[in-house]
Structures are given as structure tokens and as C-alpha cells.
């Protein structure tokens, strides 16, 4: 028992240290933003469960805004990560990626606002 | 009277004009024009060229088997159906004619030859004859409605003398009213025949002496089992007959207890005119002026229990109308959530008063699309989340541009 606990604590420490040391600042910024988006999504879900999803269109709109933003920002992060480019899974095109991300967000939120009511 | 002053009086014989002079004189003093006829007079008629010549009818002819002229039971019933009033007095010898008129009004006389007897409340000093009953008017025996029986206090009233036949009515049918009834010791039977177990079924408080019918068209029929109750002899024998018969005749001939309503308005609070349609959840007020006739003129009616219903198949709102000193009744309420065609209904039924039935139809529409609230409070978190996501996108964009 204590072995597993010790082991998991070691793994956690190594992963977090590696993350803090090896990820570039841009990606860390995006990660913080992702955490914030996920947090608002969870808060909304809890609110809807507690109080009820009365204006259902508004609830969907708010919740999906967080999910959509999360997905778009994750894809942005993938494009901005130079390590991905080395393995050639995702082409490394930072300017194009940011422009795409901004454009998609704007159109996405446009739709959401009209559904918000 | 509120409905005219012409009275047709049908008598057994014209000598009754003298023996009932006190009663007729007090009617004349109140402004009525009495037309005395013998009940078998062949020139009798209630209508001429389709219009009624008389507004009220007094039938003091208990022994007459058939009326003369064009008066008969159907024509008298038509007279009542047209809203006119009848005062009918019977006797122990009441004929089938009067029985038929009374039974059409829900009043069943007892068998011929029976008297109302009460050995504990006899009005005669002669012990042998207990057919004159002396009823002291209290809660047990007299209807406690000043509209019908006058407003004299209980302590000022003397007993009422009655000699005649009993009748029964179906109380609780809403139209028949018992005005004077017997004591628990009163019963109805033929005093000149031996008592059998089946002698009578009318006894106790079910022995009705004077009763009334207020028909649905507000016509009033008062039936008394004793014509002698109206006689001069009883009026002058230290009794309350003069007062009670005067009060009952005032009610019967529509001098009292008549209501009318006018100036019915309803509108939204803050406006003066009713719109074509109300909207769901509007605040509206309804007002009506109700007056009653006090014998000479219309005065404001005061009552705490006039109700208003706002109903569409079921009453969604039922409130009391609050009276004011000038007889203006108002109520304020919120239109319910359901839209449709409603009606404002005032149905006022009070014993002794004419029925008041007011109905106004009004439509209620739902919200227009631009009358809903623009932003819903419970959706605030969702609004803020959408906005904050967009704001976050721009903030992140700025940061991404300026970090290495």
C-alpha cells in the first residue's frame, strides 16, 4: 500500500516538475486559460443541476461556449507546440493558427449569442 | 312601489271591503290604487290588448271555486311569469282554485276542514276553541329578515293572531321562503273529528302559516293560510297583525328588497377606459353601483358580501366587492395566467332581495412577443459565461501576441 502511494507521489512530482521546466511560456499561458474555461463550464453545469435549466437555450449557449472555447484553444495549443512539428503530426504554423483560432471563436460566439436569447 | 301601483283585489264578497278596511286603507295610504272586484265578476280581466292592467293582485277569495271573466289559473300564472306579484290568503275552507295557484308556487295546503291548532298558544279566552293561534314572533317562528318582516325590534312586537289552514313548502329550494311558522306544539288537524294516528303529517315547526315565493324573475307571491290575519277584528285585538301584514305587503309589492345595478365599468388600473382585450397578468379594477329601492326612491345599497367572479368555465378569480358609501362597489385583482374569453359575473342572491345577475364578457390575450422580459434573471450565469469566454479569447490573443 505505502509502496503504491510513494510511487504515485513520485510520479506526480516528476510530471509536474517536467511540465513546469520544459513547457514554453506560451503554452503555459494557454494551459492557464484552458483551466479557466473548464472551471466556468463546471460551475455552469453545477448551477444548472442545482437551480434547473429553465431557459434551456441560455444554458446550452453558456455551456457550449465553454466547451467550444476549450476545443478551439486545445487545437490552438497543438498548433503552437514546436515538439508536435518535429514529429510532424501537426504542422507548425503559429500565425495562421492564431488567426484561425480567433476567427473561429468569433463566428462561434456569434452563433451562441443569437441562441442565448 | 318599484313596479307600479295598480292593484286588482278579488274578494269573496264585496262586504269584505269593510271588514278588511284597515288593511286596504294602509295600502291606499302608501299610494296604491285598489280595484275591488268580486271574484266571480264576469267582467274580470287581467290584460287588455295584450298589456296588463294591474301590477299586483290580491286574492282574498278562499271559497271561490272559479274566478269570473277572463281570470283563471293559467292567466294568473302568466301574470306571475311576467314578473307581477300576488298576495293570496286562504282559509280552512280554501277551494281547489286557490290550492292550484298555491301548488304551482310550491305551496301545498293541508286538507279541507283542517285548522292550525296549538293548545299552548291559543289566542282565544274560550278554552274549547283553539283554532285561533297566537304566535309571538321570535326566532323560532318568524323569519328574521327585516327586508320582509320589518325592522321593529323583537321586544316591541306583540303576538300575531292566526286562524286558518296550514301549508308546507320545500325549504331549501332557494325560491320558497317561510315567513311565519308554528311552534313545536303547533299542528294541523280537523278539530271537529276525533284524532287518529294519520290525522296529520303537518306539525311542529313544519307548520307553515305564511310563506312566500320569490321566483327567478323576481316576481313575489305571498301566501297566508289565514285570511282573518288581515281582518280589522284581528288588527284591533292587541296584536301585531297590522304591522306584520303591512311589512309583508311592502315586500310583496316590491317596495323593499329590490336591487338594481348600473354604471358597470372595468379597466386597467391607471386607465379610464376598458381596452378591447386585457392581457394576461394585467391589474384591473371592476366597479358597479348597486342601489336598492326604499319605498320611494333608489338609495345606495350596503352589503359586505357581494362577490365578483372572473370566470372561464371555472372561476379563476372570486373576490368580494368592497362597498363605499355611495353604493359604489369595487374590486381589484390580477388577471390570471391563462388566456381566453372570460366573463365578469356578479350573482347576488340574498333572502328577501331580488336577484342581481350581471355578466360581462371580456377577452384576455397572451403576451405579445415583445412583452416578455428581455433578460431572464436565472440565466445570468450563462450570459456572463458567454461574454467572459469572448473576452478571454481577446485577452489571450493579446497575450499570445506579446509573449515570446
Amino acid at each position: 500500500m505505502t509502496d503504491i502511494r510513494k510511487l504515485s507521489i513520485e510520479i506526480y512530482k516528476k510530471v509536474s516538475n517536467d511540465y513546469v521546466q520544459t513547457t514554453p511560456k506560451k503554452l503555459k499561458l494557454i494551459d492557464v486559460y484552458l483551466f479557466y474555461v473548464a472551471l466556468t463550464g463546471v460551475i455552469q453545469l453545477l448551477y444548472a443541476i442545482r437551480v434547473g435549466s429553465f431557459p434551456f437555450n441560455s444554458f446550452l449557449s453558456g455551456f457550449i461556449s465553454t466547451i467550444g472555447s476549450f476545443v478551439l484553444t486545445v487545437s490552438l495549443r497543438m498548433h503552437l507546440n514546436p515538439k508536435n512539428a518535429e514529429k510532424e503530426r501537426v504542422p507548425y504554423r503559429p500565425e495562421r493558427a492564431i488567426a484561425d483560432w480567433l476567427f473561429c471563436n468569433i463566428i462561434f460566439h456569434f452563433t451562441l449569442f443569437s441562441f442565448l436569447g | 312601489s318599484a313596479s307600479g301601483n295598480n292593484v286588482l283585489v278579488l274578494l269573496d264578497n264585496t262586504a269584505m271591503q269593510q271588514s278588511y278596511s284597515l288593511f286596504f286603507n294602509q295600502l291606499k295610504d302608501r299610494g296604491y290604487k285598489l280595484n275591488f272586484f268580486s271574484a266571480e265578476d264576469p267582467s274580470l280581466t287581467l290584460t287588455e290588448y295584450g298589456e296588463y292592467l294591474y301590477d299586483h293582485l290580491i286574492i282574498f277569495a278562499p271559497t271561490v271555486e272559479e274566478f269570473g271573466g277572463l281570470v283563471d289559473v293559467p292567466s294568473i300564472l302568466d301574470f306571475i311569469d311576467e314578473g307581477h306579484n300576488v298576495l293570496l290568503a286562504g282559509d280552512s275552507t280554501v277551494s281547489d282554485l286557490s290550492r292550484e295557484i298555491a301548488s304551482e308556487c310550491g305551496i301545498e295546503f293541508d286538507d279541507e276542514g283542517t285548522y292550525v291548532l296549538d293548545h299552548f298558544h291559543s289566542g282565544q279566552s274560550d278554552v274549547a276553541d283553539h283554532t285561533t293561534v297566537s304566535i309571538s314572533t321570535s326566532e323560532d317562528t318568524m323569519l328574521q329578515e327585516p327586508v320582509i318582516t320589518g325592522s321593529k325590534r323583537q321586544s316591541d312586537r306583540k303576538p300575531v293572531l292566526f286562524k286558518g289552514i296550514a301549508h308546507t313548502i320545500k325549504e331549501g329550494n332557494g325560491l320558497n321562503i317561510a315567513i311565519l311558522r308554528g311552534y313545536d306544539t303547533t299542528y294541523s288537524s280537523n278539530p271537529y273529528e276525533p284524532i287518529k294516528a294519520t290525522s296529520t303529517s303537518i306539525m311542529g315547526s313544519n307548520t307553515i302559516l305564511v310563506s312566500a315565493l320569490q321566483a327567478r324573475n323576481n316576481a313575489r307571491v305571498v301566501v297566508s293560510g289565514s285570511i282573518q290575519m288581515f281582518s280589522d277584528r284581528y288588527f284591533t285585538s292587541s296584536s301585531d297583525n297590522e304591522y306584520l301584514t303591512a311589512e309583508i305587503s311592502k315586500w310583496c309589492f316590491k317596495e323593499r328588497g329590490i336591487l338594481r345595478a348600473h354604471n358597470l365599468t372595468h379597466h386597467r388600473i391607471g386607465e379610464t377606459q376598458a381596452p378591447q382585450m386585457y392581457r394576461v397578468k394585467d391589474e384591473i379594477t371592476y366597479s358597479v353601483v348597486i342601489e336598492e329601492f326604499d319605498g320611494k326612491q333608489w338609495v345606495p345599497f350596503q352589503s359586505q358580501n357581494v362577490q365578483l367572479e372572473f370566470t372561464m368555465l371555472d372561476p379563476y378569480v372570486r373576490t368580494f366587492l368592497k362597498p363605499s358609501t355611495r353604493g359604489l362597489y369595487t374590486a381589484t385583482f390580477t388577471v390570471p395566467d391563462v388566456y381566453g374569453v372570460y366573463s365578469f359575473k356578479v350573482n347576488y342572491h340574498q333572502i328577501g332581495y331580488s336577484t342581481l345577475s350581471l355578466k360581462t364578457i371580456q377577452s384576455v390575450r397572451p403576451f405579445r412577443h415583445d412583452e416578455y422580459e428581455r433578460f431572464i434573471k436565472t440565466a445570468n450565469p450563462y450570459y456572463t459565461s458567454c461574454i467572459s469566454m469572448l473576452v478571454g479569447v481577446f485577452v489571450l490573443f493579446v497575450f499570445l501576441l506579446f509573449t515570446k
Side-chain angles (χ1 to χ4, degrees):
Chain A
M1 265 314 168
T2 46
D3 253 356
I4 293 178
R5 269 196 74 204
K6 258 210 225 156
L7 217 64
S8 50
I9 290 176
E10 269 184 40
I11 293 174
Y12 171 72
K13 274 204 185 133
K14 182 162 188 324
V15 167
S16 65
N17 276 337
D18 270 356
Y19 171 77
V20 167
Q21 279 158 13
T22 57
T23 35
K25 220 162 120 192
K26 256 191 190 166
L27 296 185
K28 277 202 206 143
L29 192 62
I30 294 178
D31 287 336
V32 169
Y33 177 72
L34 282 173
F35 176 71
Y36 159 69
V37 168
L39 189 68
T40 51
V42 165
I43 289 175
Q44 266 180 104
L45 198 60
L46 290 178
Y47 177 81
I49 290 173
R50 176 82 178 84
V51 167
S53 57
F54 157 51
F56 195 58
N57 57 322
S58 308
F59 160 63
L60 281 182
S61 193
F63 190 59
I64 286 179
S65 81
T66 62
I67 294 186
S69 292
F70 193 86
V71 166
L72 286 172
T73 318
V74 163
S75 89
L76 171 71
R77 190 185 190 280
M78 277 162 54
H79 276 289
L80 291 182
N81 196 346
K83 292 223 182 86
N84 280 345
E86 287 161 15
K87 299 181 185 149
E88 281 182 84
R89 273 205 314 268
V90 168
Y92 182 68
R93 305 179 297 195
E95 295 87 10
R96 168 92 190 264
I98 290 180
D100 276 345
W101 170 79
L102 196 63
F103 183 63
C104 286
N105 259 307
I106 288 173
I107 296 194
F108 180 63
H109 280 93
F110 184 71
T111 315
L112 284 179
F113 266 99
S114 64
F115 195 60
L116 193 59
Chain B
S1 158
S3 60
N5 288 333
N6 283 332
V7 186
L8 173 63
V9 185
L10 298 177
L11 303 167
D12 250 346
N13 52 66
T14 44
M16 286 170 75
Q17 266 187 279
Q18 274 69 51
S19 45
Y20 292 83
S21 61
L22 286 174
F23 178 66
F24 293 133
N25 283 342
Q26 49 109 331
L27 282 180
K28 281 186 199 153
D29 288 340
R30 298 210 309 262
Y32 291 101
K33 187 167 165 312
L34 301 174
N35 303 284
F36 294 98
F37 280 89
S38 159
E40 287 160 331
D41 190 322
S43 68
L44 276 181
T45 172
L46 285 171
T47 65
E48 190 167 324
Y49 303 122
E51 298 217 334
Y52 280 103
L53 294 166
Y54 307 103
D55 308 300
H56 315 286
L57 178 61
I58 296 180
I59 305 179
F60 276 3
T63 58
V64 167
E65 289 290 339
E66 199 176 322
F67 290 130
L70 297 170
V71 177
D72 56 356
V73 175
S75 69
I76 291 179
L77 296 177
D78 283 341
F79 186 72
I80 298 173
D81 281 341
E82 291 299 316
H84 300 290
N85 316 306
V86 174
L87 175 62
L88 175 78
D91 203 346
S92 160
T93 57
V94 66
S95 66
D96 283 341
L97 183 62
S98 298
R99 270 177 208 280
E100 206 179 323
I101 299 173
S103 99
E104 289 288 333
C105 299
I107 290 156
E108 301 287 339
F109 281 117
D110 203 0
D111 297 333
E112 184 157 352
T114 58
Y115 282 88
V116 172
L117 297 168
D118 192 333
H119 300 297
F120 292 83
H121 299 98
S122 166
Q124 294 281 74
S125 50
D126 180 353
V127 179
D129 180 6
H130 286 169
T131 55
T132 312
V133 181
S134 160
I135 309 284
S136 80
T137 51
S138 66
E139 263 172 28
D140 305 327
T141 53
M142 187 183 74
L143 180 73
Q144 300 292 320
E145 295 284 339
V147 182
I148 303 179
T149 51
S151 44
K152 196 153 87 162
R153 269 183 330 201
Q154 186 55 44
S155 43
D156 295 333
R157 290 183 192 248
K158 295 191 275 241
V160 171
L161 292 174
F162 180 98
K163 175 173 178 162
I165 196 169
H167 59 258
T168 52
I169 60 172
K170 262 205 169 44
E171 291 186 72
N173 68 2
L175 301 174
N176 285 107
I177 309 165
I179 299 177
L180 195 66
R181 61 170 89 226
Y183 293 99
D184 286 342
T185 48
T186 314
Y187 67 102
S188 158
S189 139
N190 191 333
Y192 306 113
E193 285 182 10
I195 294 269
K196 296 195 291 280
T198 54
S199 285
T200 179
S201 53
I202 303 181
M203 53 186 120
S205 296
N206 287 337
T207 324
I208 312 289
L209 309 176
V210 178
S211 73
L213 166 82
Q214 180 167 278
R216 286 184 219 277
N217 62 354
N218 293 327
R220 292 173 174 171
V221 177
V222 172
V223 173
S224 162
S226 163
I227 190 174
Q228 300 207 27
M229 205 171 90
F230 299 88
S231 67
D232 288 355
R233 200 165 69 106
Y234 278 25
F235 278 17
T236 52
S237 308
S238 169
S239 69
D240 223 26
N241 285 33
E242 189 161 6
Y243 177 75
L244 190 63
T245 53
E247 296 298 311
I248 292 178
S249 71
K250 278 184 197 166
W251 179 81
C252 181
F253 295 153
K254 296 211 169 104
E255 281 178 59
R256 264 210 307 250
I258 299 291
L259 300 175
R260 75 170 179 194
H262 59 94
N263 274 6
L264 197 160
T265 58
H266 54 88
H267 53 82
R268 284 199 205 111
I269 293 184
E271 299 177 7
T272 49
Q273 276 240 317
Q276 204 193 14
M277 284 198 248
Y278 284 120
R279 193 205 66 201
V280 165
K281 289 213 182 131
D282 267 344
E283 289 260 343
I284 57 182
T285 94
Y286 174 98
S287 66
V288 64
V289 176
I290 302 181
E291 294 174 331
E292 73 171 311
F293 192 69
D294 75 345
K296 295 186 188 45
Q297 56 191 5
W298 294 93
V299 297
F301 178 62
Q302 295 296 335
S303 163
Q304 300 293 332
N305 56 358
V306 185
Q307 277 187 344
L308 168 72
E309 272 182 10
F310 190 59
T311 161
M312 170 169 70
L313 300 179
D314 288 319
Y316 283 79
V317 175
R318 197 184 261 151
T319 74
F320 284 103
L321 286 171
K322 278 193 276 292
S324 75
T325 47
R326 289 169 304 119
L328 180 76
Y329 287 78
T330 51
T332 310
F333 59 90
T334 315
V335 175
D337 256 343
V338 185
Y339 59 89
V341 179
Y342 286 84
S343 41
F344 291 97
K345 278 194 190 156
V346 173
N347 276 326
Y348 187 65
H349 304 272
Q350 187 91 339
I351 293 184
Y353 287 96
S354 62
T355 55
L356 201 60
S357 245
L358 307 167
K359 180 172 165 179
T360 323
I361 296 189
Q362 183 66 36
S363 322
V364 169
R365 66 167 172 85
F367 282 111
R368 260 189 247 116
H369 73 283
D370 59 358
E371 282 174 342
Y372 289 100
E373 28 183 28
R374 182 63 188 87
F375 296 111
I376 303 174
K377 259 206 180 143
T378 50
N380 278 344
Y382 313 127
Y383 299 149
T384 52
S385 121
C386 264
I387 295 171
S388 75
M389 288 296 110
L390 199 56
V391 164
V393 157
F394 288 124
V395 165
L396 188 63
F397 173 66
V398 165
F399 274 121
L400 283 178
L401 281 183
F402 295 111
T403 50
K404 260 285 301 103

